[in-house]
């Protein structure tokens, strides 16, 4: 596009979000689009718990991506709160991408979600994610199957890992944004408080290598961030639901917790661009996922 064409095009700005069942690749896609790690990701379902906003700046548009948890059948009060967050976000965005992984059959969860989306005023696209995991034949079949799920404005296959079609997806989403002045200042990547992003990076590190119900039981709260001359001191609490889980998270002679600290510190240093001293404490908040008071304390 030459500069003249760019001048003639109206500036567009607005909100988009990806929805889909847990583990569909929503957060990875959000990070790939803005080119920076804003949202944490993991191979465990229900990784995302906080709504995170990431801003993509282009000369003629601003796309604000709102990363939400995966919609699922809730089994705890936390689960209900997360689903509420998702539905609230749906009502506030201009364009929604329903994410369906290329390598998994379409299921009841996908049908349920696409049914609910039909009621909204936002434009709904289908995004077939993780295309790097399947061959062309399988992808073609999945594109057909997804198109039959609902009346989507467009169906776009992408891979966040290889980068395939990421720009195309942004072009398509931008087309459905309203004409609007810029919403955020030029270089703003996210409006989310640093403490939340830091807590999320710690939780991501703590999720690695734990199994079964434990990933869901982990919550992280950053208590204090103290900037000093050449280092930021961060004090954070890692919450679990039972004493037995505490032992697992800490590990033999605290070896696991040390590893978590090292991994998290590297990520936080990258985010903040300065050296970090990280102090982690593991605490038990009994059955916090089902307890309204504990949930409030943990930020839900
Ligand atoms: N091969 C491949 N893996 C991907 C791709 N996108 C995501 N993944 C993997 O899929 C898993 C889930 O990714 P997330 O981005 O955390 O999924 P999510 O939809 O945000 O999950 P929740 O937050 O739990 O709802 C992770 O292990 C990712 O590395 C992709 O394009 N290709
Ligand atoms: Mg996520």
């Amino acid at each position: 596009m030459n500069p003249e064409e760019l001048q003639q095009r109206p500036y567009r700005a607005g909100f988009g979000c990806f929805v889909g069942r847990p583990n569909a690749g929503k957060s990875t896609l959000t990070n790939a689009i803005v080119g920076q790690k804003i949202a944490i990701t993991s191979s465990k379902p229900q990784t995302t718990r906080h709504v995170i906003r990431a801003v993509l700046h282009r000369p003629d548009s601003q796309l604000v991506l709102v990363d939400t948890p995966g919609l699922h059948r809730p089994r705890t009060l936390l689960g209900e709160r997360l689903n509420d967050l998702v539905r609230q976000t749906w009502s506030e965005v201009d364009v929604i991408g329903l994410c369906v992984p290329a390598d998994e059959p379409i299921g009841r969860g996908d049908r349920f979600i696409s049914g609910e989306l039909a009621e909204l005023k936002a434009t709904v696209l289908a995004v077939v994610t993780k295309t790097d995991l399947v061959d062309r034949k399988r992808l073609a079949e999945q594109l057909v199957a997804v198109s039959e799920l609902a009346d989507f404005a467009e169906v776009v296959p992408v891979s966040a890992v290889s980068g395939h079609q990421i720009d195309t997806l942004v072009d398509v989403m931008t087309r459905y944004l309203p004409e609007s002045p810029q919403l955020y200042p030029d270089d703003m990547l996210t409006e989310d408080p640093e403490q939340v992003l830091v807590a999320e990076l710690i939780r991501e590190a703590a999720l690695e290598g734990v199994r079964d119900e434990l990933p869901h039981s982990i919550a992280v709260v950053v208590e204090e961030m103290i900037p000093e001359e050449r280092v930021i001191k961060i004090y954070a609490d890692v919450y679990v639901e039972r004493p037995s889980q505490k032992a697992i998270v800490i590990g033999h002679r605290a070896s696991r917790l040390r590893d978590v600290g090292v991994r998290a510190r590297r990520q936080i240093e990258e985010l903040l661009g300065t050296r970090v001293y990280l102090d982690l404490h593991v605490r038990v908040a009994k059955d916090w996922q089902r307890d309204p008071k504990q949930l409030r304390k943990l930020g839900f």
Side-chain angles (χ1 to χ4, degrees):
M1 203 186 319
N2 65 41
E4 247 166 65
E5 269 174 344
L6 201 60
Q7 280 212 320
Q8 279 160 15
R9 291 230 301 212
Y11 192 89
R12 294 182 185 279
F15 294 84
C17 82
F18 297 117
V19 307
R21 52 174 135 127
N23 228 21
K26 303 177 292 297
S27 300
T28 310
L29 189 54
T30 301
N31 290 338
I33 286 177
V34 295
Q36 264 226 357
K37 179 160 171 171
I38 301 277
I40 68 163
T41 65
S42 88
S43 57
K44 324 270 183 310
Q46 292 172 41
T47 298
T48 301
R49 284 184 190 155
H50 296 279
V51 173
I52 299 259
R53 284 180 196 76
V55 190
L56 178 71
H57 305 268
R58 282 183 159 188
D60 57 346
S61 67
Q62 205 166 52
L63 172 63
V64 186
L65 288 174
V66 189
D67 187 33
T68 59
L71 197 70
H72 61 288
R73 184 169 301 151
R75 283 176 304 161
T76 62
L77 189 57
L78 173 68
E80 286 172 30
R81 296 259 164 102
L82 296 186
N83 281 352
D84 289 346
L85 275 181
V86 177
R87 290 209 171 80
Q88 192 193 331
T89 304
W90 290 359
S91 66
E92 293 167 357
V93 298
D94 305 295
V95 52
I96 294 178
L98 170 65
C99 293
V100 181
D103 64 327
E104 282 172 39
I106 289 167
R108 227 187 325 159
D110 303 310
R111 267 188 280 276
F112 173 72
I113 296 174
S114 62
E116 292 216 349
L117 293 177
E119 326 254 300
L120 301 169
K121 68 171 190 342
T123 304
V124 182
L125 320 167
V127 183
V128 174
T129 58
K130 311 191 191 183
T131 56
D132 56 293
L133 294 179
V134 297
D135 60 23
R136 283 162 85 173
K137 181 164 170 288
R138 181 77 200 278
L139 178 58
E141 288 165 3
Q142 189 75 333
L143 289 172
V144 172
V146 167
S147 319
E148 285 165 359
L149 208 50
D151 190 15
F152 298 111
E154 322 225 1
V155 181
V156 187
V158 299
S159 165
V161 165
S162 75
H164 177 64
Q165 288 255 104
I166 294 291
D167 282 343
T168 308
L169 177 61
V170 173
D171 289 342
V172 170
M173 291 180 85
T174 306
R175 225 180 284 151
Y176 294 102
L177 297 181
E179 287 182 28
S180 154
Q182 204 171 328
L183 297 169
Y184 289 93
D186 269 338
D187 45 13
M188 186 164 174
L189 194 61
T190 174
E191 63 171 12
D192 297 287
E194 259 173 9
Q195 300 218 345
V196 172
L197 299 178
V198 167
E200 287 288 89
L201 289 173
I202 296 168
R203 189 161 63 86
E204 181 179 60
L207 284 177
E208 209 170 291
V210 298
R211 290 179 301 142
D212 305 325
E213 282 306 296
L214 189 48
H216 297 163
S217 295
I218 297 176
V220 177
V221 174
V222 169
E223 290 294 339
E224 252 189 318
M225 291 178 60
I226 308 169
E228 296 195 347
E229 211 169 307
R230 290 220 288 285
V231 63
I232 295 186
K233 287 190 170 167
I234 299 177
Y235 297 87
D237 291 329
V238 178
Y239 286 93
V240 292
E241 296 194 284
R242 290 187 292 279
S244 59
Q245 296 175 328
K246 180 172 172 174
I248 298 173
V249 168
I250 294 176
H252 182 60
R253 294 199 175 149
S255 58
R256 234 198 124 255
L257 188 62
R258 251 198 319 275
D259 288 348
V260 168
V262 170
R263 276 201 305 274
R265 184 165 51 76
R266 279 197 205 118
Q267 297 277 342
I268 299 167
E269 287 182 337
E270 205 162 302
L271 174 80
L272 302 179
T274 123
R275 276 187 47 207
V276 163
Y277 165 86
L278 181 61
D279 184 77
L280 296 179
H281 267 272
V282 183
R283 300 185 194 280
V284 177
K286 200 166 166 303
D287 291 330
W288 65 262
Q289 288 188 77
R290 297 165 199 278
D291 178 344
K293 278 209 201 94
Q294 303 266 26
L295 280 175
R296 181 157 330 137
K297 193 175 115 191
L298 296 173
F300 295 102

